[in-house]
Amino acid sequence: MKKSITYFEKPGKDNTEELIACVKERLGEDDIKYVAIASSSGESALKLYESLGDLDVTIVNCTHHMGFREPNKSDISEEMRSKLEDLGVVTFMGSHALSATGRGITNKFGGFTPIDMIAASYRCICQGFKVCAEIGIMLADAGLIPVGEEIISIGGTAQGVDTAVVMTAANMTNVFEMKFHEVLAMPRP
């Protein structure tokens, strides 16, 4: 089997359009039925839908938990969330699988947790790779993507998206059963 990988010179939102094109091309192989995307504001999820809207895939968006940046505030507006839902794109809002409570402990007392070590290991590849893994866990735990089936997971660095992988998600209780099958695109570290 030969596959190609798109490498971006820099991470970030400038790669969003080309990354979505890579995902659309891979979906042409017709074996993937779910696409997970990390889009805190919903803008990248909307762009993905606009590009893939004619394909028979389920798109699931994952945003930050309530209060991520500011107490009692969501990063995604109700208007954007409603717009996505009207298009059939469900948005999940929940605690980060690879930080969450561990980040609170680290922030208060210093040090690190085993979860921090897993996240840092994924970041050695790139930030977006860590995000792809993380939303795979979060959305599987929420029952929004299947476990045991290959999906495309899309993540990024700060804003926009710059990383896409074909993976098999796992629930948090079986986190080491998660598998990465293909890298479609990523920034060079």
Coordinates of all heavy atoms in Angstrom, one line a residue, residues 28-120:
G28 N -12.9 9.9 -0.6 CA -13.2 9.3 -1.9 C -13.0 7.8 -1.9 O -13.5 7.1 -2.8
E29 N -12.2 7.2 -1.0 CA -12.0 5.8 -1.0 C -13.2 5.1 -0.4 O -13.3 3.8 -0.4 CB -10.8 5.5 -0.1 CG -9.5 6.0 -0.8 CD -8.2 5.7 0.0 OE1 -8.2 4.7 0.7 OE2 -7.3 6.5 -0.1
D30 N -14.2 5.8 0.2 CA -15.5 5.3 0.5 C -15.5 4.2 1.6 O -16.4 3.4 1.7 CB -16.2 4.7 -0.7 CG -17.7 4.7 -0.5 OD1 -18.3 5.6 0.1 OD2 -18.4 3.8 -1.1
D31 N -14.5 4.2 2.5 CA -14.5 3.3 3.6 C -14.7 3.9 5.0 O -14.9 3.3 6.0 CB -13.2 2.4 3.6 CG -12.0 3.3 3.8 OD1 -12.0 4.5 3.3 OD2 -11.0 2.8 4.3
I32 N -14.7 5.3 5.0 CA -14.8 6.0 6.3 C -16.2 6.6 6.3 O -16.6 7.3 5.4 CB -13.8 7.1 6.4 CG1 -12.4 6.6 6.2 CG2 -13.9 8.0 7.6 CD1 -11.7 6.0 7.4
K33 N -16.9 6.5 7.5 CA -18.2 7.0 7.6 C -18.4 8.1 8.6 O -19.4 8.8 8.8 CB -19.2 5.9 8.0 CG -19.3 4.9 6.9 CD -19.9 5.5 5.6 CE -19.9 4.5 4.4 NZ -20.0 5.1 3.1
Y34 N -17.3 8.4 9.4 CA -17.3 9.4 10.5 C -16.1 10.3 10.4 O -15.0 9.8 10.2 CB -17.3 8.8 11.9 CG -18.6 8.1 12.2 CD1 -18.9 6.8 11.9 CD2 -19.6 8.8 13.0 CE1 -20.1 6.2 12.2 CE2 -20.8 8.2 13.3 CZ -21.0 6.9 12.9 OH -22.2 6.3 13.2
V35 N -16.3 11.6 10.5 CA -15.2 12.5 10.6 C -15.4 13.4 11.9 O -16.4 14.0 12.1 CB -15.2 13.5 9.4 CG1 -14.1 14.5 9.5 CG2 -15.1 12.7 8.1
A36 N -14.4 13.3 12.7 CA -14.4 14.1 14.0 C -13.5 15.3 13.7 O -12.4 15.2 13.1 CB -13.8 13.2 15.1
I37 N -13.9 16.5 14.2 CA -13.1 17.7 14.0 C -13.1 18.5 15.4 O -14.2 18.5 16.0 CB -13.6 18.6 12.9 CG1 -12.7 19.8 12.7 CG2 -15.1 18.9 13.0 CD1 -13.0 20.5 11.4
A38 N -12.0 19.0 15.7 CA -11.9 19.9 16.9 C -12.0 21.3 16.4 O -11.1 21.8 15.6 CB -10.5 19.7 17.6
S39 N -13.1 22.0 16.7 CA -13.3 23.3 16.2 C -14.0 24.1 17.4 O -15.2 23.9 17.6 CB -14.2 23.4 15.0 OG -14.4 24.7 14.6
S40 N -13.2 24.8 18.1 CA -13.7 25.5 19.3 C -14.8 26.5 19.0 O -15.8 26.6 19.7 CB -12.6 26.1 20.2 OG -11.8 27.0 19.4
S41 N -14.6 27.3 17.9 CA -15.6 28.3 17.6 C -16.7 27.7 16.6 O -17.7 28.3 16.4 CB -14.9 29.5 16.9 OG -14.5 29.1 15.6
G42 N -16.4 26.6 16.0 CA -17.3 26.0 15.0 C -17.0 26.4 13.6 O -17.5 25.8 12.6
E43 N -16.1 27.4 13.4 CA -15.8 27.9 12.0 C -15.1 26.8 11.2 O -15.5 26.7 10.0 CB -14.8 29.1 12.1 CG -15.5 30.4 12.7 CD -16.6 30.9 11.8 OE1 -16.6 30.8 10.6 OE2 -17.5 31.5 12.4
S44 N -14.2 26.1 11.7 CA -13.6 25.0 10.9 C -14.5 23.9 10.6 O -14.5 23.3 9.5 CB -12.3 24.5 11.6 OG -11.3 25.5 11.6
A45 N -15.4 23.6 11.6 CA -16.4 22.6 11.4 C -17.4 23.0 10.3 O -17.8 22.2 9.4 CB -17.2 22.3 12.7
L46 N -17.7 24.2 10.2 CA -18.6 24.7 9.2 C -17.9 24.6 7.8 O -18.5 24.2 6.8 CB -19.0 26.2 9.5 CG -20.0 26.8 8.4 CD1 -21.3 26.0 8.3 CD2 -20.3 28.3 8.9
K47 N -16.7 25.0 7.7 CA -15.9 24.9 6.5 C -15.8 23.4 6.0 O -16.0 23.1 4.8 CB -14.5 25.5 6.6 CG -14.4 27.0 6.7 CD -13.0 27.4 6.9 CE -13.0 29.0 7.0 NZ -11.6 29.5 7.3
L48 N -15.6 22.5 7.0 CA -15.6 21.1 6.6 C -16.9 20.7 6.1 O -17.0 20.0 5.0 CB -15.2 20.3 7.9 CG -15.2 18.8 7.7 CD1 -14.0 18.4 6.8 CD2 -15.1 18.1 9.0
Y49 N -18.0 21.0 6.7 CA -19.3 20.7 6.2 C -19.6 21.2 4.8 O -20.1 20.5 4.0 CB -20.4 21.2 7.2 CG -21.8 20.9 6.5 CD1 -22.4 19.7 6.7 CD2 -22.4 21.9 5.8 CE1 -23.6 19.4 6.0 CE2 -23.7 21.6 5.2 CZ -24.2 20.4 5.3 OH -25.4 20.1 4.7
E50 N -19.2 22.4 4.6 CA -19.4 23.1 3.3 C -18.7 22.3 2.2 O -19.1 22.2 1.1 CB -19.0 24.5 3.3 CG -20.0 25.4 4.1 CD -19.6 26.8 4.4 OE1 -18.4 27.1 4.2 OE2 -20.4 27.6 4.9
S51 N -17.5 21.8 2.5 CA -16.7 21.0 1.6 C -17.2 19.6 1.4 O -17.2 19.0 0.3 CB -15.3 21.0 2.0 OG -14.5 20.2 1.1
L52 N -17.7 19.0 2.5 CA -18.1 17.5 2.5 C -19.6 17.3 2.5 O -20.0 16.2 2.4 CB -17.5 16.8 3.7 CG -16.0 16.9 4.0 CD1 -15.7 16.1 5.2 CD2 -15.2 16.5 2.8
G53 N -20.4 18.4 2.5 CA -21.8 18.3 2.6 C -22.5 17.3 1.7 O -23.5 16.7 2.0
D54 N -21.9 17.0 0.5 CA -22.6 16.1 -0.4 C -22.1 14.6 -0.2 O -22.6 13.7 -0.9 CB -22.2 16.5 -1.9 CG -20.8 16.6 -2.2 OD1 -20.0 16.8 -1.2 OD2 -20.4 16.4 -3.4
L55 N -21.2 14.4 0.7 CA -20.7 13.0 0.9 C -21.6 12.4 2.1 O -22.1 13.1 2.9 CB -19.2 13.1 1.3 CG -18.3 13.6 0.3 CD1 -16.9 13.6 0.9 CD2 -18.3 12.8 -1.0
D56 N -21.6 11.1 2.0 CA -22.4 10.3 3.0 C -21.5 10.0 4.2 O -21.0 8.9 4.4 CB -22.9 9.0 2.4 CG -23.8 8.2 3.4 OD1 -24.3 8.8 4.3 OD2 -23.9 7.0 3.2
V57 N -21.2 11.1 5.0 CA -20.4 10.9 6.2 C -21.1 11.7 7.3 O -21.8 12.6 7.1 CB -18.9 11.4 6.1 CG1 -18.2 10.6 5.1 CG2 -18.9 12.9 5.7
T58 N -20.8 11.2 8.5 CA -21.3 11.9 9.7 C -20.1 12.8 10.3 O -19.0 12.3 10.5 CB -21.7 10.9 10.8 OG1 -22.8 10.1 10.3 CG2 -22.2 11.6 12.1
I59 N -20.4 14.1 10.4 CA -19.4 15.0 10.9 C -19.8 15.3 12.4 O -20.9 15.7 12.7 CB -19.3 16.3 10.1 CG1 -19.0 16.0 8.7 CG2 -18.3 17.3 10.7 CD1 -19.1 17.2 7.7
V60 N -18.8 15.2 13.3 CA -19.0 15.5 14.7 C -18.0 16.5 15.1 O -16.8 16.3 14.9 CB -18.9 14.2 15.6 CG1 -19.2 14.6 17.0 CG2 -19.9 13.1 15.1
N61 N -18.4 17.6 15.7 CA -17.5 18.7 16.1 C -17.3 18.5 17.6 O -18.2 18.2 18.4 CB -18.1 20.0 15.8 CG -17.2 21.2 16.3 OD1 -16.0 21.1 16.1 ND2 -17.8 22.2 16.8
C62 N -16.0 18.8 18.1 CA -15.7 18.8 19.5 C -15.1 20.1 19.8 O -14.2 20.6 19.2 CB -14.7 17.7 19.7 SG -14.3 17.4 21.5
T63 N -15.7 20.8 20.8 CA -15.2 22.1 21.3 C -14.8 22.0 22.7 O -14.9 21.0 23.4 CB -16.3 23.2 21.1 OG1 -15.8 24.5 21.4 CG2 -17.5 22.9 22.0
H64 N -14.2 23.1 23.2 CA -13.7 23.2 24.6 C -14.9 23.1 25.6 O -16.0 23.4 25.2 CB -13.0 24.5 24.8 CG -11.7 24.7 24.0 ND1 -11.4 25.8 23.4 CD2 -10.7 23.8 23.8 CE1 -10.2 25.7 22.8 NE2 -9.8 24.5 23.0
H65 N -14.5 22.7 26.8 CA -15.5 22.6 27.8 C -15.9 24.1 28.2 O -15.2 25.0 28.0 CB -15.0 21.9 29.0 CG -13.8 22.4 29.7 ND1 -13.8 23.5 30.5 CD2 -12.5 22.1 29.5 CE1 -12.6 23.8 30.9 NE2 -11.7 22.9 30.3
M66 N -17.1 24.2 28.8 CA -17.6 25.5 29.3 C -16.6 26.0 30.3 O -16.0 25.3 31.1 CB -18.9 25.3 30.0 CG -19.6 26.5 30.5 SD -20.1 27.6 29.2 CE -21.6 26.9 28.8
G67 N -16.2 27.3 30.2 CA -15.3 27.9 31.1 C -13.8 27.7 30.8 O -13.0 28.0 31.6
F68 N -13.6 27.2 29.6 CA -12.2 26.9 29.2 C -11.3 28.2 29.2 O -10.2 28.2 29.7 CB -12.1 26.3 27.8 CG -10.7 26.0 27.3 CD1 -10.1 24.8 27.7 CD2 -10.1 26.8 26.4 CE1 -8.8 24.5 27.3 CE2 -8.8 26.5 25.9 CZ -8.2 25.4 26.4
R69 N -11.9 29.3 28.7 CA -11.1 30.6 28.7 C -11.6 31.5 29.8 O -10.8 32.3 30.3 CB -11.3 31.2 27.3 CG -10.7 30.4 26.2 CD -10.7 31.2 24.9 NE -10.7 30.3 23.7 CZ -9.6 29.7 23.3 NH1 -8.4 29.9 23.9 NH2 -9.6 29.0 22.2
E70 N -12.9 31.4 30.1 CA -13.5 32.4 31.0 C -14.7 31.7 31.7 O -15.5 31.0 31.0 CB -14.0 33.6 30.2 CG -14.5 34.8 31.0 CD -14.9 35.9 30.1 OE1 -14.5 36.0 29.0 OE2 -15.7 36.7 30.6
P71 N -14.8 31.9 33.0 CA -15.9 31.2 33.7 C -17.3 31.4 33.1 O -17.6 32.6 32.7 CB -15.8 31.8 35.1 CG -14.4 32.3 35.3 CD -14.0 32.7 33.9
N72 N -18.0 30.4 33.0 CA -19.4 30.4 32.5 C -19.6 30.8 31.1 O -20.7 31.2 30.6 CB -20.3 31.3 33.4 CG -20.3 30.9 34.8 OD1 -20.5 29.7 35.1 ND2 -20.0 31.8 35.7
K73 N -18.5 30.8 30.3 CA -18.5 31.2 28.9 C -18.1 30.0 28.0 O -17.2 29.2 28.3 CB -17.6 32.3 28.6 CG -17.9 33.6 29.4 CD -18.8 34.5 28.6 CE -19.1 35.7 29.4 NZ -19.6 36.8 28.8
S74 N -18.8 29.9 26.9 CA -18.5 28.9 25.9 C -17.7 29.5 24.7 O -17.9 30.6 24.4 CB -19.8 28.3 25.3 OG -19.6 27.5 24.2
D75 N -16.8 28.7 24.2 CA -16.0 29.2 23.0 C -16.9 29.2 21.7 O -16.6 29.9 20.8 CB -14.8 28.4 22.8 CG -13.7 28.6 23.8 OD1 -13.8 29.6 24.6 OD2 -12.7 27.9 23.8
I76 N -17.9 28.4 21.7 CA -18.8 28.4 20.5 C -20.1 29.1 20.9 O -20.7 28.9 21.9 CB -19.0 26.9 20.1 CG1 -19.8 26.9 18.7 CG2 -19.8 26.1 21.1 CD1 -19.8 25.5 18.1
S77 N -20.5 30.0 20.0 CA -21.8 30.7 20.2 C -23.0 29.8 20.0 O -22.9 28.8 19.3 CB -21.9 31.9 19.3 OG -22.1 31.4 17.9
E78 N -24.0 30.1 20.7 CA -25.3 29.4 20.5 C -25.7 29.4 19.0 O -26.3 28.4 18.5 CB -26.4 29.9 21.4 CG -26.3 29.3 22.8 CD -26.3 27.8 22.9 OE1 -27.1 27.2 22.3 OE2 -25.4 27.3 23.6
E79 N -25.5 30.5 18.4 CA -25.9 30.7 17.0 C -25.1 29.7 16.1 O -25.7 29.0 15.2 CB -25.7 32.1 16.5 CG -26.5 33.2 17.2 CD -26.0 33.6 18.6 OE1 -24.9 33.4 18.9 OE2 -26.9 34.0 19.3
M80 N -23.8 29.6 16.3 CA -23.0 28.7 15.5 C -23.4 27.2 15.8 O -23.5 26.4 14.9 CB -21.5 28.9 15.8 CG -20.6 27.9 15.0 SD -20.8 28.0 13.2 CE -19.7 29.3 12.8
R81 N -23.6 27.0 17.1 CA -23.9 25.6 17.5 C -25.3 25.2 16.8 O -25.4 24.1 16.3 CB -24.0 25.5 19.0 CG -24.1 24.1 19.5 CD -23.9 24.0 21.0 NE -23.9 22.6 21.4 CZ -23.5 22.2 22.6 NH1 -23.1 23.1 23.5 NH2 -23.6 21.0 22.9
S82 N -26.2 26.1 16.8 CA -27.5 25.8 16.2 C -27.4 25.7 14.7 O -28.0 24.8 14.1 CB -28.5 26.9 16.5 OG -28.9 26.9 17.9
K83 N -26.6 26.5 14.1 CA -26.4 26.4 12.6 C -25.8 25.1 12.3 O -26.3 24.4 11.3 CB -25.4 27.6 12.2 CG -25.2 27.6 10.7 CD -24.4 28.9 10.4 CE -24.3 29.0 8.9 NZ -23.6 30.3 8.5
L84 N -24.8 24.7 13.0 CA -24.2 23.4 12.7 C -25.2 22.2 12.9 O -25.2 21.3 12.1 CB -22.9 23.1 13.6 CG -21.7 24.0 13.3 CD1 -20.6 23.9 14.4 CD2 -21.1 23.6 11.9
E85 N -25.9 22.3 14.0 CA -26.9 21.2 14.3 C -28.0 21.2 13.2 O -28.4 20.1 12.8 CB -27.5 21.4 15.7 CG -26.5 21.0 16.7 CD -27.0 21.1 18.1 OE1 -28.2 21.3 18.3 OE2 -26.2 20.9 19.1
D86 N -28.4 22.4 12.7 CA -29.4 22.4 11.6 C -28.8 21.7 10.3 O -29.6 21.2 9.5 CB -29.8 23.8 11.2 CG -30.6 24.5 12.3 OD1 -31.2 23.7 13.2 OD2 -30.8 25.7 12.3
L87 N -27.5 21.7 10.2 CA -26.8 21.1 9.0 C -26.6 19.6 9.3 O -26.1 18.9 8.4 CB -25.5 21.8 8.7 CG -25.7 23.2 8.3 CD1 -24.3 23.9 8.2 CD2 -26.4 23.3 6.9
G88 N -26.8 19.1 10.5 CA -26.6 17.7 10.9 C -25.3 17.5 11.6 O -24.9 16.3 11.8
V89 N -24.5 18.6 11.9 CA -23.3 18.4 12.6 C -23.5 18.6 14.1 O -23.8 19.7 14.6 CB -22.2 19.5 12.1 CG1 -20.9 19.4 12.9 CG2 -22.0 19.3 10.6
V90 N -23.3 17.5 14.9 CA -23.5 17.6 16.3 C -22.2 18.2 16.9 O -21.1 17.9 16.5 CB -23.7 16.2 16.9 CG1 -23.7 16.2 18.4 CG2 -25.0 15.6 16.4
T91 N -22.3 19.1 17.9 CA -21.2 19.6 18.6 C -21.2 19.1 20.0 O -22.2 19.2 20.7 CB -21.2 21.2 18.6 OG1 -21.1 21.6 17.3 CG2 -20.1 21.8 19.4
F92 N -20.1 18.5 20.4 CA -19.9 18.0 21.8 C -19.0 19.0 22.5 O -18.0 19.5 22.0 CB -19.2 16.7 21.7 CG -18.8 16.2 23.1 CD1 -19.8 15.6 23.9 CD2 -17.5 16.3 23.6 CE1 -19.4 15.2 25.2 CE2 -17.1 15.8 24.8 CZ -18.1 15.3 25.6
M93 N -19.4 19.3 23.7 CA -18.7 20.2 24.6 C -18.4 19.4 25.9 O -19.3 18.9 26.6 CB -19.5 21.4 25.0 CG -18.8 22.4 25.9 SD -19.9 23.8 26.4 CE -20.3 24.5 24.9
G94 N -17.1 19.2 26.2 CA -16.7 18.4 27.4 C -15.3 18.6 27.8 O -14.5 19.3 27.1
S95 N -14.9 18.1 28.9 CA -13.6 18.2 29.4 C -12.6 17.5 28.5 O -12.9 16.4 28.0 CB -13.5 17.6 30.8 OG -14.3 18.3 31.7
H96 N -11.4 18.0 28.4 CA -10.3 17.4 27.6 C -9.9 16.1 28.2 O -9.6 16.0 29.4 CB -9.1 18.4 27.5 CG -9.3 19.6 26.7 ND1 -10.2 20.5 26.9 CD2 -8.7 19.9 25.5 CE1 -10.2 21.5 26.0 NE2 -9.3 21.1 25.1
A97 N -9.9 15.1 27.3 CA -9.5 13.8 27.8 C -8.0 13.7 28.2 O -7.7 12.9 29.1 CB -9.8 12.7 26.7
L98 N -7.2 14.5 27.6 CA -5.7 14.4 27.9 C -5.3 15.6 28.8 O -4.1 15.9 28.8 CB -4.9 14.3 26.6 CG -5.2 13.0 25.8 CD1 -4.4 13.0 24.5 CD2 -4.9 11.8 26.6
S99 N -6.2 16.1 29.6 CA -5.8 17.1 30.6 C -6.8 17.1 31.7 O -6.6 16.5 32.7 CB -5.5 18.5 30.0 OG -6.6 19.0 29.4
A100 N -7.9 17.8 31.5 CA -9.0 17.9 32.4 C -8.6 18.1 33.8 O -7.9 19.1 34.2 CB -10.0 16.7 32.2
T101 N -9.0 17.2 34.7 CA -8.7 17.3 36.1 C -7.2 17.3 36.4 O -6.7 18.0 37.3 CB -9.4 16.2 36.9 OG1 -10.8 16.2 36.6 CG2 -9.1 16.3 38.4
G102 N -6.5 16.6 35.6 CA -5.0 16.5 35.8 C -4.4 17.9 35.6 O -3.5 18.3 36.3
R103 N -4.9 18.7 34.6 CA -4.4 20.1 34.4 C -4.7 20.9 35.6 O -3.9 21.7 36.1 CB -5.1 20.7 33.2 CG -4.8 22.1 32.9 CD -3.5 22.4 32.1 NE -3.2 21.4 31.1 CZ -3.6 21.5 29.8 NH1 -4.4 22.5 29.4 NH2 -3.2 20.6 28.9
G104 N -5.9 20.8 36.2 CA -6.2 21.5 37.5 C -5.2 21.2 38.6 O -4.8 22.1 39.3
I105 N -4.9 19.9 38.7 CA -4.0 19.5 39.8 C -2.6 20.1 39.5 O -1.9 20.7 40.4 CB -3.9 17.9 39.9 CG1 -5.2 17.4 40.4 CG2 -2.7 17.5 40.8 CD1 -5.4 15.9 40.2
T106 N -2.1 20.0 38.3 CA -0.8 20.5 37.9 C -0.8 22.0 38.1 O 0.2 22.6 38.6 CB -0.5 20.2 36.4 OG1 -0.5 18.8 36.3 CG2 0.8 20.7 36.0
N107 N -1.8 22.7 37.7 CA -1.9 24.2 37.9 C -1.8 24.6 39.3 O -1.2 25.6 39.7 CB -3.1 24.8 37.2 CG -3.1 24.7 35.7 OD1 -2.0 24.5 35.1 ND2 -4.2 24.9 35.1
K108 N -2.4 23.8 40.2 CA -2.5 24.2 41.6 C -1.2 23.7 42.4 O -0.7 24.5 43.2 CB -3.7 23.5 42.3 CG -3.8 23.7 43.7 CD -4.9 24.7 44.1 CE -5.1 24.7 45.6 NZ -5.4 26.1 46.0
F109 N -0.7 22.5 42.1 CA 0.4 22.0 42.9 C 1.7 21.8 42.1 O 2.7 21.4 42.8 CB -0.1 20.6 43.5 CG -1.3 20.7 44.3 CD1 -2.5 20.2 43.9 CD2 -1.3 21.4 45.6 CE1 -3.7 20.3 44.7 CE2 -2.4 21.5 46.4 CZ -3.6 20.9 45.9
G110 N 1.7 22.0 40.8 CA 2.9 21.7 40.1 C 3.0 20.3 39.7 O 2.1 19.5 40.0
G111 N 4.2 19.9 39.1 CA 4.4 18.5 38.8 C 3.6 18.2 37.5 O 3.3 19.0 36.7
F112 N 3.4 16.9 37.4 CA 2.7 16.4 36.2 C 2.0 15.1 36.6 O 2.3 14.4 37.6 CB 3.7 16.1 35.0 CG 4.8 15.2 35.4 CD1 4.6 13.8 35.1 CD2 6.0 15.6 35.9 CE1 5.6 12.9 35.4 CE2 7.0 14.7 36.2 CZ 6.8 13.4 36.0
T113 N 1.0 14.7 35.7 CA 0.3 13.5 35.9 C 0.6 12.5 34.8 O 1.2 12.9 33.8 CB -1.2 13.7 35.9 OG1 -1.6 14.2 34.6 CG2 -1.6 14.8 36.9
P114 N 0.3 11.2 34.9 CA 0.5 10.3 33.8 C -0.2 10.8 32.5 O 0.3 10.6 31.4 CB -0.1 9.0 34.3 CG 0.1 9.1 35.8 CD -0.2 10.5 36.1
I115 N -1.4 11.4 32.7 CA -2.1 11.9 31.5 C -1.3 13.0 30.8 O -1.2 13.1 29.6 CB -3.5 12.5 31.9 CG1 -4.4 11.3 32.4 CG2 -4.2 13.2 30.7 CD1 -4.7 10.3 31.4
D116 N -0.6 13.9 31.6 CA 0.3 14.9 31.0 C 1.4 14.2 30.2 O 1.8 14.7 29.1 CB 0.9 15.7 32.1 CG -0.1 16.6 32.8 OD1 -1.0 17.1 32.2 OD2 0.1 16.8 34.1
M117 N 1.9 13.1 30.6 CA 2.9 12.4 29.9 C 2.4 11.8 28.6 O 3.1 11.9 27.5 CB 3.5 11.3 30.7 CG 4.3 11.8 32.0 SD 4.7 10.6 33.2 CE 5.4 9.3 32.3
I118 N 1.2 11.3 28.6 CA 0.6 10.8 27.3 C 0.4 12.0 26.3 O 0.8 11.9 25.2 CB -0.7 10.1 27.6 CG1 -0.5 8.8 28.4 CG2 -1.5 9.8 26.2 CD1 -1.8 8.2 28.9
A119 N -0.1 13.1 26.8 CA -0.3 14.3 25.9 C 1.0 14.8 25.4 O 1.1 15.1 24.2 CB -1.1 15.4 26.7
A120 N 2.0 14.9 26.2 CA 3.3 15.4 25.8 C 3.9 14.4 24.8 O 4.6 14.9 23.8 CB 4.2 15.5 27.0

